Amino acid sequence: PDPPAAIHTLEGLPRLANLSVQGLMRLADWKGTAIFAFSGAITAATSGMDLLGVVIVSTVTAVGGGTARDALLLGRMPFWVEEWEYIAISIATALATFFAWPALRGMGVSDSSEGLLLADALSLGVFAVIGTQNGIRARIPRGLSMVAAVMTGTFGGLARDMLCQPAVRILHANADIYATTALCGSAVYLAARALGLSVPARIVAGVNATVVLRICAWNYDIRLPTW
């Protein structure tokens, strides 16, 4: 097995975005944070919350998954304590959404447009891979690395739904599969790692698997079975 220092280097991302696959992954992570914050802001505002409530729910949606992963599964300080830019992105997105969304909605922009759904799928794929990498760096079992992926990608939305009181979408059959796609993307990343593929190849495989499954889920209304 790789020594801890090598794992930390290989399975991590640079602090700032660059033109490498890992650097572009960091940029996608920032954009995913903004997409999730936007989702939280819309949900909070439409449920009747004021500006403070919108900012709180937006931030929880954006960073809540990684926070739960770090605090509950990996036993460490949340990532945003050092990487404060994620909180800044979340708050800025919340404020921009709160003040600009009514005008954008009046212009016919929809929060369920195909472009936003695709952006959300890409964000989920990025978060799933990052969650998996965090699990690998923490040297936890593969199964728990997959749990870390699901937590990173979905627990922010779970917290959003609990705060705003709609049905928690990742736990109910009234929506197509979501958390399951993050789990599959994580499994693909781990399989690619077991096969000895390079880190960039693993990233591309894991993200693409999640995105393709999400697209199939909403196009074909794929849901898990219920009673």
Side-chain angles (χ1 to χ4, degrees):
D2 297 326
I7 289 177
H8 193 275
T9 300
L10 289 173
E11 300 294 344
L13 302 178
R15 178 67 184 269
L16 299 177
N18 58 50
L19 294 180
S20 67
V21 172
Q22 290 94 326
L24 293 174
M25 186 74 166
R26 176 66 74 185
L27 179 61
D29 188 25
W30 292 341
K31 290 184 176 180
T33 299
I35 291 294
F36 276 36
F38 171 80
S39 167
I42 294 297
T43 303
T46 54
S47 70
M49 291 190 181
D50 61 13
L51 178 59
L52 178 60
V54 168
V55 170
I56 290 174
V57 172
S58 178
T59 303
V60 167
T61 306
V63 303
T67 302
R69 173 202 67 216
D70 290 346
L72 300 178
L73 187 61
L74 304 183
R76 65 189 188 196
M77 285 193 306
F79 67 98
W80 46 262
V81 173
E82 293 184 357
E83 296 176 306
W84 55 267
E85 59 269 24
Y86 288 90
I87 297 296
I89 291 170
S90 302
I91 293 174
T93 302
L95 293 173
T97 303
F98 185 86
F99 290 109
W101 180 248
L104 292 173
R105 186 173 54 186
M107 296 167 58
V109 179
S110 170
D111 61 340
S112 59
S113 67
E114 187 172 305
L116 285 174
L117 289 173
L118 183 58
D120 182 81
L122 178 60
S123 302
L124 180 63
V126 168
F127 284 11
V129 167
I130 289 174
T132 308
Q133 290 180 324
N134 273 269
I136 293 170
R137 290 204 306 274
R139 303 181 74 82
I140 61 177
R142 292 183 182 88
L144 289 180
S145 291
M146 295 169 66
V147 172
V150 173
M151 293 178 75
T152 306
T154 67
F155 271 40
L158 185 152
R160 174 202 63 209
D161 293 346
M162 292 177 66
L163 289 169
C164 298
Q165 298 184 340
V168 180
R169 64 162 296 163
I170 68 168
L171 302 178
H172 289 77
N174 57 0
D176 46 58
I177 57 172
Y178 195 84
T180 308
T181 63
L183 187 71
C184 292
S186 176
V188 168
Y189 183 93
L190 290 169
R193 184 172 186 265
L195 292 172
L197 273 63
S198 67
V199 174
R202 300 173 206 168
I203 290 173
V204 171
V207 172
N208 281 342
T210 307
V211 171
V212 169
L213 285 172
R214 275 297 298 142
I215 291 173
C216 290
W218 79 59
N219 280 337
Y220 300 106
D221 195 28
I222 300 173
R223 307 182 186 210
L224 293 178
T226 61
W227 285 0

